[in-house]
Amino acid sequence: MSDGGQSTPEQGADEVTENANETAASADEVDWEMAPDSDAEFPADPEKVALLREIADDVYGESSESRQVSAILYRVSDLYDPDGDTSPEEIYLNVRHIMDIKAQGGLDR
């Protein structure tokens, strides 16, 4: 850069695009690493189950977002419920799927 270290708007836009592409690529690579190990132990804890479900009931509302958060909390409570059948990985992947659908404009696109 011959202008004293200053970039032109065109150079800046190219850098932003290049950085965005690198970030997207690295996010795809890291995404699976962020999914928790499904072999993790979650001992039964009826108090946690009750608390998480109480919070889920309080959060549940008219908006789709509040219903989604409520559903996530119920799924998390299943981790501590001896009769629950889920894993952190399943919860993570489910939430990621919901966010992907939301980002695409919903199921009715």
Side-chain angles (χ1 to χ4, degrees):
M1 291 181 217
S2 61
D3 54 1
Q6 299 291 323
S7 63
T8 66
E10 293 81 20
Q11 290 171 324
D14 289 343
E15 286 177 16
V16 168
T17 302
E18 191 173 290
N19 289 341
N21 290 339
E22 289 173 11
T23 301
S26 65
D28 288 341
E29 294 167 11
V30 173
D31 193 38
W32 286 105
E33 293 173 14
M34 292 175 59
D37 183 2
S38 60
D39 293 337
E41 295 292 323
F42 292 88
D45 189 338
E47 289 179 16
K48 276 187 186 175
V49 171
L51 178 62
L52 286 166
R53 291 180 181 175
E54 181 181 334
I55 294 169
D57 289 340
D58 287 344
V59 169
Y60 189 88
E62 295 297 317
S63 72
S64 64
E65 290 84 2
S66 67
R67 292 179 181 180
Q68 289 167 353
V69 170
S70 179
I72 293 166
L73 288 168
Y74 265 97
R75 290 293 304 242
V76 170
S77 76
D78 286 342
L79 291 172
Y80 300 97
D81 186 343
D83 298 327
D85 185 28
T86 194
S87 70
E89 184 177 49
E90 288 176 35
I91 294 169
Y92 171 83
L93 294 173
N94 185 257
V95 170
R96 191 182 76 176
H97 181 70
I98 290 169
M99 295 303 157
D100 288 345
I101 290 171
K102 201 125 176 88
Q104 295 171 7
L107 292 172
D108 298 332
R109 322 182 302 145

